[in-house]
Amino acid sequence: MNRILAINPGSTSTKIAVFDGKEQLFVKNIKHSTEELSGFNKITDQTDFRKNVILKELEENNIPLNSIEIVIGRGGLVKPIPSGIYEVNDLMKEHLHMGYSGEHASNVGGLIADNIAKSIGLSASYIADPVVVDELQAVARISGHPLFDRKSIFHALNQKAVARNYALEIGKSYETLNLIVAHMGGGISVGAHEKGRVIDVNQALDGEGPFSPERSGTLPTGQLVNVCFSGEYSKDDVKKMLVGKGGYVGYFGINDAYQIEKDAQAGNEKAKLIESAMAYQVAKAIGEAAVVLKGKIDAILLTGGIAYGKPVVEEITRYIDWIAPVKVYPGEDEMRALAFNAYLILTGEAEAENYE
C-alpha cells in the first residue's frame, strides 16, 4: 500500500485527498465559514484549526491515520526556488510563517502537512512546485527600470503537471520538449517551457499579463499612476482593482466565467466583447511566449477552469493554431498532481530537494 494524503488549502476551504499509489480513494473540499476564520489575524494562525478539521474528516470517513505513508501539502509563498519536490524543513516553516514572498492560503499547506506527518510518526513531509517556482532566464527578469524586477509567481503545480502529462501521452520526456502552457482560472498565467524549465511567465499573483475573471492584467501605466494619486482611492483600493475586483469582477461584478459565456451566447454585446478581449489577450501572451521560444514549439496546452469554455477556447485557438498544435486540458487537478509527486518519492523515482 502506498497511501498518500494530499492537502491543498484555499482562502475559504481546505481540499484533501487520499490516494493509494495513483488511485484516488477519497477527496473532500472542506468549506470554512467567515465566522470560523474571522478570529485569525494571519493565514498561518489557522494551521491548527485546519489540521484538526482534516483529522476529523479522515476519522469520519474511516481513514486511519496510521495507514498514511506520506503527506504532501500545496507549496506556499516561500523564497523563489526551481521546480521540484521539497522536504519541509525548519527554514521552510520559518519562511511560510513569515510569508517570505507574500500572504497566501497555500502558506499553511506545508505547515499542516508537517504537523500531521510528525503526529503519526513520519520522518518527513513535502511540498511540490509551489507558485514561486523560478526558472526565469536572466533577460526575462529585466523590467525596464532598476527599481523593479520581473518575478516568477504562477500556477506552477498545474502547468508542470499538464506539461508532463502531455509528454507522457506522446511518449516523450518533458525535458526534451518546448511547450507553451496557458493556465486560465481566477488568474491567468502563460508560461514558456523550454526543455523542462519555465524560462518566462507573467507574474499572475499580482495580475500581470492577460486580464482574468478576478484580475485586471497589465494596465496602462500612465492612467494607473493618475488613479493612484487622484486622492479618490486608498492603496488597498488600488490593490483590489488589480487583484480581486479586476477583470470580469470589474466589468460585471461577478467572477463567474460560465455565466459571462452564457450571457455572450444569449446576445449580450458587452459580455461578447469582454469575453473576446480576454481570449485576445491570452492569445497575445501565447504569441509572446512563442517569440521567447524562437518559434520552436512542440505544442500549446490550454488548461484551468476557463478551458471548459468552448467559445473561449475556440477563439484563442483561431489566433494561435498556426504556431503549433493546440491541446486542451480543462480544469486543474492539483490534488492528483500533488499525489503524483508524493508517489514519485515513495517509489524512489524522485528525490526530495533540500530547501535552503
Side-chain angles (χ1 to χ4, degrees):
M1 184 183 291
N2 291 314
R3 194 160 278 193
I4 299 158
L5 172 61
I7 301 164
N8 184 1
S11 56
T12 59
S13 67
T14 304
K15 197 168 188 179
I16 60 171
V18 176
F19 286 74
D20 187 359
K22 295 179 182 179
E23 181 189 356
Q24 183 175 284
L25 304 177
F26 171 76
V27 64
K28 180 68 179 286
N29 192 23
I30 308 164
K31 300 287 187 182
H32 308 306
S33 68
T34 306
E35 291 74 28
E36 285 178 313
L37 300 180
S38 61
F40 301 103
N41 293 322
K42 285 181 62 182
I43 189 73
T44 52
D45 294 340
Q46 300 172 14
T47 302
D48 287 340
F49 162 73
R50 293 197 189 220
K51 180 199 76 171
N52 291 331
V53 169
I54 291 169
L55 295 180
K56 182 170 180 284
E57 197 67 44
L58 293 174
E59 183 181 357
E60 288 177 354
N61 287 276
N62 300 311
I63 300 169
L65 277 178
N66 61 9
S67 71
I68 304 294
E69 293 190 45
I70 189 169
V71 187
I72 189 165
R74 175 79 186 275
L77 293 173
V78 291
K79 69 176 189 175
I81 52 178
S83 173
I85 308 163
Y86 288 80
E87 185 176 327
V88 178
N89 59 18
D90 288 340
L91 180 63
M92 182 187 291
K93 287 189 283 185
E94 179 186 331
H95 286 175
L96 289 169
H97 274 294
M98 70 188 284
Y100 187 99
S101 296
E103 278 283 303
H104 192 268
S106 59
N107 286 4
V108 293
L111 297 174
I112 297 171
D114 182 70
N115 203 314
I116 291 177
K118 294 255 172 71
S119 72
I120 58 179
L122 298 177
S123 60
S125 57
Y126 304 89
I127 67 166
D129 286 338
V131 293
V132 289
V133 163
D134 185 353
E135 300 167 332
L136 296 186
Q137 56 185 344
V139 70
R141 300 182 189 280
I142 306 302
S143 68
H145 190 283
L147 281 180
F148 306 94
D149 293 317
R150 291 194 65 245
K151 294 181 180 178
S152 175
I153 303 181
F154 69 109
H155 305 90
L157 183 63
N158 192 48
Q159 282 211 24
K160 290 278 186 176
V162 165
R164 290 191 179 102
N165 188 37
Y166 173 77
L168 197 63
E169 286 177 5
I170 64 171
K172 293 189 177 180
S173 164
Y174 168 53
E175 287 73 22
T176 66
L177 299 174
N178 282 358
L179 303 168
I180 298 171
V181 185
H183 174 107
M184 303 179 293
I188 292 175
S189 61
V190 179
H193 296 235
E194 183 180 63
K195 295 182 169 47
R197 295 178 63 82
V198 181
I199 61 170
D200 203 344
V201 66
N202 57 299
Q203 206 275 55
L205 181 68
D206 290 341
E208 179 189 66
F211 76 81
S212 73
E214 296 178 352
R215 290 165 171 78
S216 292
T218 302
L219 296 174
T221 52
Q223 293 178 49
L224 180 59
V225 169
N226 290 338
V227 164
C228 290
F229 289 91
S230 67
E232 297 180 35
Y233 305 99
S234 68
K235 179 180 178 180
D236 190 52
D237 290 336
V238 174
K239 287 178 79 171
K240 284 179 179 173
M241 281 182 200
L242 299 177
V243 179
K245 292 187 176 180
Y248 280 176
V249 176
Y251 288 110
F252 303 104
I254 61 170
N255 65 358
D256 188 341
Y258 179 59
Q259 183 59 53
I260 302 306
E261 179 184 297
K262 287 200 300 183
D263 291 346
Q265 289 178 316
N268 183 313
E269 292 301 323
K270 181 180 178 183
K272 277 187 197 175
L273 177 62
I274 303 303
E275 183 182 61
S276 291
M278 185 178 70
Y280 176 78
Q281 290 195 7
V282 172
K284 280 176 67 178
I286 290 169
E288 290 178 5
V291 170
V292 169
L293 295 171
K294 303 180 181 70
K296 296 173 183 173
I297 301 130
D298 293 288
I300 300 167
L301 312 179
L302 306 180
T303 184
I306 293 174
Y308 282 111
K310 193 175 178 185
V312 171
V313 167
E314 287 178 347
E315 186 150 8
I316 293 170
T317 303
R318 282 195 293 271
Y319 282 112
I320 63 169
D321 60 1
W322 59 274
I323 298 172
V326 179
K327 187 79 185 286
V328 183
Y329 295 88
E332 48 186 289
D333 198 348
E334 291 174 330
M335 306 311 290
R336 193 168 294 279
L338 284 171
F340 181 69
N341 280 287
Y343 176 77
L344 294 178
I345 295 290
L346 278 177
T347 58
E349 295 175 61
E351 290 186 6
E353 305 288 339
N354 184 40
Y355 182 80
E356 56 189 9

